[in-house]
Amino acid sequence: MDEPILTMEEREAINNGRWFQSLSPSLRHDILRCAYVKRFKDGDLIVARGEPPTEWTGVAKGAVRVSSTSLSGKLITLTYVEPGVWFGDVAFFDGDRRTHDAYAHGPTTLLCVARNDFQKILSAHVELYEALMRLQARRIRTLFGLVEDLNTLPLRARLAKQLLHLVRSYGVPCLSDGNEMRIGLQLAQEELAQLLGASRQRVNQELKSMEREEAIRIEQGGLVVRNRDMLMRIAEAEH
């Protein structure tokens, strides 16, 4: 059963989102006033490809895995939506159906705004149009960057860039060494390989190579970034 309100930690994650922080206090208030909470267990389907859009959604806890399945049955993971990030607005604007599946990755809490309420907020706050345009522009820049990397960088460099992104979004300082950062998003090597469009074997080889260079440490519970500067040098070496 859904909890009716966000926890303090979940509310902080929403309020600290970079895009949400850029909105005026009155707009943030109106969004939060009509939003409702949904909670999902690890692996739960949130929305399915082909469904009509009904909600605009912000991630308050956990992560949302956005993926699709190819005609051959291969699972393709496009991204993990992190706490503080909103999604689902594109389908509202073009009126089309959902283009991808979305699953909860770990226990996940979402803050949702119904389509009718979203339209009312848009009518009351012209500011939201401009803010969403900025959000779309950022997404397009990121997408172009990913396409460029896929076509120009070897797997080693792309993996290093992905690990740097994950540590920025999900990094937690290690208690034993404050300079080391544990990636809080639990990703199996198969899931990391799907994100990079590579085989698990090749990703495993590159991870072991980075571990030998002491850039990262592979642990049973996930990955620890030991040397971000070295990962940056690996990411930039092939440019």
Side-chain angles (χ1 to χ4, degrees):
M1 186 174 178
D2 293 338
E3 291 292 334
I5 59 173
L6 297 174
T7 65
M8 289 292 290
E9 184 180 2
E10 291 166 347
R11 183 173 288 271
E12 186 176 337
I14 289 289
N15 286 327
N16 288 345
R18 185 173 69 164
W19 178 81
F20 195 73
Q21 274 188 330
S22 72
L23 307 180
S24 67
S26 63
L27 176 51
R28 293 201 303 268
H29 174 269
D30 282 0
I31 291 171
L32 295 175
R33 181 172 55 84
C34 64
Y36 49 93
V37 176
K38 284 188 173 182
R39 299 185 190 279
F40 296 89
K41 299 188 295 295
D42 179 40
D44 282 353
L45 177 66
I46 297 169
V47 296
R49 182 175 185 168
E51 289 183 349
T54 58
E55 296 170 328
W56 181 47
T57 307
V59 182
K61 175 187 174 183
V64 174
R65 175 170 59 83
V66 180
S67 63
S68 63
T69 305
S70 70
L71 292 175
S72 63
K74 181 181 178 182
L75 180 66
I76 303 167
T77 299
L78 301 174
T79 190
Y80 288 86
V81 185
E82 65 202 65
V85 176
W86 292 76
F87 67 96
D89 42 278
V90 172
F92 281 172
F93 285 123
D94 67 11
D96 210 343
R97 294 177 179 272
R98 301 285 191 184
T99 55
H100 299 91
D101 300 317
Y103 293 88
H105 188 82
T108 298
T109 302
L110 303 181
L111 193 62
C112 306
V113 177
R115 184 170 190 165
N116 287 343
D117 288 326
F118 179 80
Q119 296 295 345
K120 290 175 184 175
I121 296 170
L122 274 177
S123 299
H125 296 272
V126 177
E127 169 198 352
L128 184 54
Y129 280 103
E130 298 174 356
L132 287 170
M133 283 179 62
R134 291 197 303 273
L135 185 60
Q136 297 310 323
R138 188 185 307 158
R139 287 171 177 164
I140 291 170
R141 288 177 186 271
T142 300
L143 177 61
F144 282 171
L146 289 172
V147 172
E148 180 182 0
D149 288 351
L150 191 60
N151 284 281
T152 61
L153 296 183
L155 176 60
R156 174 177 165 84
R158 288 192 287 119
L159 175 58
K161 290 186 74 169
Q162 184 63 61
L163 294 177
L164 287 167
H165 169 72
L166 289 171
V167 84
R168 282 194 300 271
S169 301
Y170 297 98
V172 180
C174 292
L175 295 177
S176 57
D177 186 342
N179 293 320
E180 296 184 348
M181 298 286 283
R182 180 181 305 280
I183 295 175
L185 183 70
Q186 299 295 312
L187 288 182
Q189 288 190 13
E190 180 65 35
E191 292 170 322
L192 189 56
Q194 290 168 7
L195 200 54
L196 291 162
S199 69
R200 187 192 63 78
Q201 291 79 5
R202 289 191 61 207
V203 169
N204 178 261
Q205 290 170 0
E206 296 296 351
L207 287 172
K208 287 182 176 178
S209 173
M210 291 178 185
E211 186 173 42
R212 288 193 296 271
E213 296 168 48
E214 300 186 348
I216 65 169
R217 184 168 64 252
I218 303 170
E219 297 184 349
Q220 188 171 1
L223 292 173
V224 174
V225 173
R226 301 182 61 188
N227 190 327
R228 273 181 284 185
D229 288 341
M230 184 177 293
L231 278 182
M232 287 180 188
R233 287 197 293 272
I234 293 171
E236 295 171 356
E238 304 294 337
H239 276 279

